Amino acid sequence: MSEPAVNSRPLSAAASLGDDVLDSIAQRVLWTATAIIDSANRGRPNDSGVKVGGHQSSSASMVGIMTSLWFAELTPIDRVSVKPHASPVLHAINYLLGELGEEYLPTLRELGGLQSYPSRLKDPDTVDFSTGSVGIGATAPLWAAMSHRYLRDQFPETPESGRFISLLGDAELDEGAVWEAVTDSGARQLGELVWIVDLNRQSLDRVIPDVQIARLQGMFAAADWQVLTCKWGRRIHALFVQPGGEELRERLESMANEEYQRLLRSHPDEVHTRLLGEEPAPALAQLVQTLSPHELAASIRDLGGHDIHLLLETYREIDPERPTVIFAYTVKGRGLATEGHPNNHAAQLTEAQMAELAALSGMTLAEPWRRFAENTREGALCRDAAERLRRPAIEGHAIEAVPSELPWSYKPTISTQAALGRFLLDLNRAAPEVARRVVTLSPDVASSTNLGGWINKTGVWSVGERHDWFADDADRLLKWNEGAQGQHIELGIAEVNLVCLAGELGSTWSRWGQPLIPIATIYDPFVSRALEPWSYGIYSGGQSILIGTPSGVTLAPEGGAHQSITTPSIGLEQPGCVAWEPAFAQDLEWCLLESMSNIGKPDGQSAYFRISTRPIDQSLSPLPEDPALRQQRRDQVVAGGYRLSSHDPAEDAITLVGVGAIMPEVVDAARRLEGRGIRTGIVCLTSPDLVFRSFNRRYDRAAPARMSIVDDLFPAHARTPLVTVMDGHPHTLAFLAGVRGDRIRNLGVSEFGQSSSVSDAYALHGIDSDAIIRAASDLLGYSA
C-alpha cells in the first residue's frame, strides 16, 4: 500500500506498515483533532481580533499513543491525564466513540464549548483529570492513585480502580513539581501508576538542545521507577539488523536533536546527503543507497511513539509492582505539513494544507465530521471500544450530618492552632462517623501544627505497613504508628505535593462515590509556594480544607521569611474557596464544622484557614449564655463576623474592625478609647471573604439571607469612621470604606518583617494598640 505524501514527504499519523485498522483510526483521529482546531480559527467569525489558538502539532504527536490506549488498551476503571495541548485529540477520540456530539466539534475555546485544555468540570465529555498548568496535571494521577489506595483501606467497599496514566510532554519534565512527586517515598509502591512521555524534543519556542534522555531515565530509575523506552518503530528496526544497520542506528542516535529535526524538514531528495554527512561509514552509505528517497524519509521518522503495535507490546512489559515511565519518541506535528518544524508549536495549517490532509485521511473540508460507517472494520472497532470503556454507575455515599458544634469548651487561654488539635480529638469523640471521613496531611510539620494528639489517636497511613522501631520508647510523646488504618498522611517537605494530594483526596466523592474531608496543615508563609497547584486542585473539583499556620508577623521570632503578609487576600481571591481567619477557639470550631459540611458534594467548596500560635484570652469574646443568643452568635460567626461591643452601633464615635490574632490589641485599644470618653464599637471578622461577598451582592435579590451580614455589622443608620487592623496586608479590608462611605484607616503589614518579639513586631508594623489609637484619633480629628 502506498503511503500518503505531501511534497514527496511521507505524512501519516501512525506507522502505516500496511492495511492496519488501528493506523486507519489514528489517521481519522489526527484529522478530527486538527479540524477541531481549524474550525475554531478559520471556521467562525472573530470580531475581537484576539487569536483563538490551539495546538495542532502538539496534538499530532500524541495521536498514535492515545489511539493505542483508547482503542486497544484501556479498561473502564483506568483513569488518564492528557497533556494540555492534546485536548483536541481527546475530544476527537470521544467523538469517534460516540460520547461527544457533533455539535461540540466546532466549539473549541468557545463559550459553552470545548475548553482549551482538558477540564473535568467544564468539558461536555469524559475528562478524568483537568490539565493546563504544565507539570501539575501530569502528577495528578499519582496522587489519585494514592488517594484510591487510602480510600480502599478505610472503606473496603470502594469500587476498584485500574491504572492511573499520565500522558505528558517531555518539556513538562522541566517542572519542579514533577520531580517532587516522582521522588515522594510513597510513589515507589504504586504499581498502578504509568506515565507515558511524549518525547518529541520540542518545547514552545525551540527544539530542545542536546540529548538528555539518559539523564531523565536515570533520574526515574533512581526513584525506583521502571523505565521503558519506545524509540524506533518496526520499519527502521528491520533496517537496523541489515548490514550497515548498526551504523545507521549510531548515526541517528548520536546526532543532536536540532540536526534530526532538520532531517525531518528536508525534501526526501536531500535526506541521503544530510544523513550520510561528510565522512559516512562505508556500510552506512551502502545501506542508504539501497533505499529510495521516499523509503529513507519514511524510515528516519519511524519512531516508536507512532508505532501502535510496538506501543501495545511495550504495555505488556509494565511491572505491576512499581510505577512505570515509558519514553515514547515522537515527531511534533506528525502527519501534518508542519511536521518537525522548530516553530510549529502554535502554527495553524492553511486551507490548502487542510485540504491535503483531508485527502490523505479520506475526508473532505465540506464534511469534516464524518464518522466511520458502522459496517467497516474501523466502525466495528470504535463500537467495541465504546462498549469496553463504558463505566459502571458509581453508588454515592454522603458524609454523616456534621454537628453545628461540639459539646466541650476550650481552655481560658488558647491559640487557634492549639484549638485545632483539640477540635480534631473532640470531633472523634462527638461525631465518630464524621471523623472517620477526615484525613489530615502535612509536609513534615504535623507536630508543629498541633496534629500530634490526632496522630496518636488515629495513626499514620502509609502505602504498605512499616515497622515502628520506637514503639517501646516510653519517652516518646508522638506515636508514629504507620499502617493501612491511619488517618494522617505525612509527606516530605514539598508543599506542592501536599496540596496536590489534598485535591485528589477531595475528589474521591466524584470519582468513586466515597467522600473524604481532607485537612492539610502548612506553614502559612508557604501557601504562596503551593498556590498554583492548590488553585488547580479546586478548579478540578477537589474539595479540601487548607490550614495555614502559624501566620503573619505574630510568628515574630522566626523572622521575615516566615511572616506571611499576602495570604489573607490570596484566600479572599481564590475561586471555589472560603477564606477564614477566626480569632477565638469557639469561632474556629464553628467555622471548621461549617466548612466540613460543605465538603464532598456537587455544590461543595474548599476552605482556607489562617490561624496562629499566639495564645489569646478567650474571655475577650464572651459567649452568650442564652441558647437563642448563642445560636445567633454562631450564625454570625459562620456568616463572616460579629460585633463584640454590646451597645447600639448608632452610639459609636469610632468603630474598630479586627481579624484573627490581632484582636487583643483591638479590644485593648477600644478599652483605652472608651476610657477617654470615646464610644468605640468593635467588629470581629471571622471571614473578610464572606463579608466582601455580602457587600458585593447586597443589592442582589437572589442572594441568600446570609449575604446580609455586611449590613448587620455596619448598619446604614450608624455611619462612623473605621479603623481596620489585621496581621496581613491592609488592603484586604479596604473595601469596607465602600459599605457606607465611611472615613477609614487600614492598618496591617506591608513590609518584610524581621526577628523580634510579638510586641516589637506589632509596633514595627503599626498594628499595636498605640497605633490603633493614633489612627482612631486621626480620623476623629479629621475635618471634612
Side-chain angles (χ1 to χ4, degrees):
M1 172 177 131
S2 62
E3 292 176 304
V6 172
N7 193 27
S8 298
R9 284 195 295 117
L11 292 178
S12 61
S16 299
L17 285 178
D19 189 19
D20 188 280
V21 64
L22 285 172
D23 283 358
S24 177
I25 289 175
Q27 189 66 33
R28 184 64 61 87
V29 170
L30 173 66
W31 162 258
T32 306
T34 308
I36 286 172
I37 301 169
D38 180 70
S39 179
N41 287 272
R42 290 196 311 108
R44 63 176 184 247
N46 184 349
D47 298 330
S48 70
V50 176
K51 183 185 75 170
V52 176
H55 301 86
Q56 291 175 332
S57 295
S58 293
S59 291
S61 65
M62 287 295 300
V63 166
I65 295 169
M66 294 178 68
T67 299
S68 73
L69 289 171
W70 268 263
F71 292 94
E73 179 68 16
L74 296 179
T75 72
I77 57 175
D78 293 332
R79 298 291 185 270
V80 186
S81 170
V82 176
K83 77 172 190 178
H85 294 161
S87 63
V89 182
L90 177 60
H91 297 311
I93 288 173
N94 282 339
Y95 172 66
L96 293 176
L97 293 175
E99 191 189 324
L100 183 66
E102 181 178 322
E103 68 275 13
Y104 283 105
L105 299 185
T107 68
L108 180 69
R109 303 189 173 200
E110 184 177 72
L111 181 63
L114 303 176
Q115 298 301 298
S116 54
Y117 309 120
S119 173
R120 283 191 73 211
L121 301 186
K122 298 181 182 298
D123 271 317
D125 50 341
T126 296
V127 174
D128 292 330
F129 296 93
S130 299
T131 56
S133 295
V134 174
I136 302 299
T139 68
L142 187 157
W143 307 117
M146 191 175 292
S147 298
H148 185 261
R149 289 274 192 110
Y150 175 86
L151 201 63
R152 290 274 289 179
D153 284 342
Q154 304 297 328
F155 302 92
E157 67 274 21
T158 298
E160 292 185 5
S161 192
R163 289 163 295 183
F164 294 85
I165 301 172
S166 284
L167 307 178
L168 63 158
D170 52 344
E172 289 190 81
L173 297 180
D174 292 340
E175 290 288 343
V178 168
W179 298 106
E180 289 184 16
V182 166
T183 58
D184 182 80
S185 60
R188 66 188 62 181
Q189 300 182 61
L190 299 175
E192 63 270 43
L193 182 65
V194 178
W195 284 15
I196 304 176
V197 180
D198 172 20
L199 197 71
N200 61 42
R201 291 167 285 186
Q202 286 185 243
S203 60
L204 193 152
D205 292 325
R206 60 177 184 156
V207 176
I208 297 174
D210 304 322
V211 179
Q212 60 176 343
I213 180 63
R215 178 173 61 86
L216 295 173
Q217 290 170 325
M219 291 168 70
F220 276 99
D224 294 334
W225 286 51
Q226 180 191 24
V227 180
L228 301 174
T229 304
C230 280
K231 189 164 190 176
W232 300 107
R234 291 166 296 163
R235 176 203 299 271
I236 199 167
H237 264 293
L239 294 179
F240 289 158
V241 299
Q242 295 183 25
E246 279 303 315
E247 288 82 357
L248 175 61
R249 181 196 291 268
E250 182 180 352
R251 169 72 175 115
L252 289 170
E253 294 185 356
S254 63
M255 67 174 55
N257 290 336
E258 297 94 330
E259 183 181 4
Y260 177 75
Q261 297 293 115
R262 187 65 186 91
L263 272 181
L264 297 178
R265 294 301 301 169
S266 300
H267 189 281
D269 291 342
E270 303 173 10
V271 174
H272 284 78
T273 302
R274 288 184 179 274
L275 178 63
L276 292 175
E278 295 181 0
E279 298 182 4
L284 172 60
Q286 186 173 358
L287 174 63
V288 167
Q289 292 305 319
T290 67
L291 303 173
S292 70
H294 186 88
E295 289 172 331
L296 184 58
S299 296
I300 64 165
R301 59 188 14 92
D302 181 32
L303 297 181
H306 304 301
D307 190 327
I308 293 176
H309 291 279
L310 180 63
L311 288 165
L312 294 174
E313 292 172 10
T314 304
Y315 302 153
R316 303 285 79 77
E317 300 177 33
I318 291 174
D319 182 354
E321 300 301 320
R322 55 178 174 150
T324 296
V325 59
I326 300 173
F327 288 97
Y329 280 70
T330 63
V331 176
K332 192 167 184 175
R334 168 76 183 211
L336 305 180
T338 56
E339 183 179 83
H341 194 285
N343 302 122
N344 64 8
H345 182 79
Q348 304 284 320
L349 298 190
T350 65
E351 183 175 358
Q353 290 169 333
M354 285 296 298
E356 291 171 340
L357 179 61
L360 297 179
S361 307
M363 300 292 285
T364 66
L365 291 179
E367 296 181 89
W369 314 126
R370 194 172 69 248
R371 286 190 174 100
F372 290 111
E374 292 188 5
N375 60 353
T376 62
R377 294 180 307 155
E378 293 87 351
L381 183 53
C382 288
R383 184 173 61 251
D384 292 345
E387 183 62 30
R388 169 173 46 84
L389 294 173
R390 185 168 291 113
R391 290 177 174 171
I394 298 296
E395 179 185 359
H397 298 76
I399 297 174
E400 290 250 336
V402 178
S404 59
E405 68 174 283
L406 305 181
W408 300 285
S409 59
Y410 295 87
K411 293 179 179 179
T413 301
I414 190 173
S415 69
T416 45
Q417 182 174 292
L420 169 65
R422 183 73 258 167
F423 165 82
L424 289 171
L425 291 175
D426 288 348
L427 179 71
N428 213 19
R429 289 194 293 159
E433 287 303 311
V434 175
R436 185 182 177 217
R437 300 278 176 181
V438 171
V439 51
T440 60
L441 51 159
S442 63
D444 199 33
V445 295
S447 57
S448 58
T449 55
N450 280 72
L451 296 182
W454 165 263
I455 291 172
N456 287 344
K457 179 69 176 178
T458 64
V460 178
W461 181 83
S462 65
V463 184
E465 297 284 341
R466 295 179 184 172
H467 184 72
D468 181 8
W469 292 101
F470 288 86
D472 58 348
D473 186 345
D475 294 329
R476 188 178 64 166
L477 297 179
L478 180 62
K479 301 175 184 177
W480 204 259
N481 300 320
E482 297 184 76
Q485 298 307 309
Q487 288 182 249
H488 175 76
I489 302 176
E490 189 89 351
L491 296 96
I493 304 177
E495 289 79 10
V496 170
N497 287 355
L498 175 82
V499 295
C500 287
L501 178 56
E504 288 303 324
L505 288 166
S507 298
T508 59
W509 66 274
S510 58
R511 294 196 191 280
W512 301 290
Q514 289 283 9
L516 294 172
I517 305 174
I519 300 178
T521 60
I522 182 175
Y523 284 169
D524 196 65
F526 304 145
V527 165
S528 55
R529 182 183 299 176
L531 181 57
E532 183 196 357
W534 175 45
S535 182
Y536 158 84
I538 296 173
Y539 170 77
S540 302
Q543 299 167 12
S544 62
I545 298 173
L546 181 65
I547 296 181
T549 182
S551 62
V553 299
T554 305
L555 189 61
E558 291 287 344
H562 283 65
Q563 296 171 1
S564 50
I565 296 172
T566 61
T567 49
S569 58
I570 284 176
L572 188 151
E573 295 160 8
Q574 175 60 48
C577 173
V578 176
W580 305 88
E581 191 169 350
F584 301 99
Q586 186 61 60
D587 296 352
L588 175 67
E589 176 190 303
W590 283 331
C591 296
L592 278 169
L593 292 170
E594 175 73 8
S595 298
M596 292 168 69
S597 71
N598 287 315
I599 293 282
K601 52 188 180 182
D603 59 345
Q605 58 187 345
S606 295
Y608 163 54
F609 282 80
R610 195 170 184 262
I611 62 178
S612 174
T613 54
R614 184 191 186 190
I616 290 180
D617 180 359
Q618 301 299 296
S619 69
L620 296 177
S621 176
L623 293 169
E625 295 182 3
D626 182 272
L629 294 178
R630 184 183 178 94
Q631 181 61 43
Q632 182 185 55
R633 168 68 68 83
R634 180 201 171 275
D635 291 344
Q636 291 175 329
V637 165
V638 299
Y642 56 97
R643 293 186 71 92
L644 265 178
S645 47
S646 57
H647 58 262
D648 188 329
E651 300 176 20
D652 287 356
I654 190 82
T655 302
L656 309 183
V657 183
V659 184
I662 204 73
M663 283 307 299
E665 280 64 36
V666 174
V667 173
D668 181 60
R671 177 187 58 79
R672 290 166 60 185
L673 287 168
E674 287 277 349
R676 299 181 185 181
I678 301 170
R679 202 66 162 137
T680 305
I682 306 174
V683 173
C684 177
L685 298 186
T686 53
S687 173
D689 185 357
L690 291 179
V691 175
F692 173 76
R693 297 184 199 193
S694 174
F695 165 62
N696 207 37
R697 295 187 63 187
R698 66 194 312 187
Y699 302 117
D700 183 352
R701 294 181 181 178
R706 184 177 291 177
M707 300 303 282
S708 68
I709 187 64
V710 72
D711 294 314
D712 295 340
L713 298 177
F714 307 100
H717 71 277
R719 290 189 60 184
T720 182
L722 304 177
V723 177
T724 71
V725 197
M726 69 182 311
D727 188 357
H729 199 283
H731 97 277
T732 308
L733 299 180
F735 71 90
L736 292 177
V739 174
R740 299 177 303 199
D742 297 321
R743 299 196 301 276
I744 193 169
R745 278 289 306 277
N746 303 116
L747 306 183
V749 183
S750 55
E751 301 289 341
F752 289 118
Q754 56 185 290
S755 295
S756 68
S757 67
V758 173
S759 59
D760 285 342
Y762 284 6
L764 174 66
H765 296 283
I767 54 175
D768 61 349
S769 300
D770 289 346
I772 297 170
I773 291 172
R774 286 195 300 271
S777 300
D778 289 344
L779 286 174
L780 291 171
Y782 174 79
S783 177

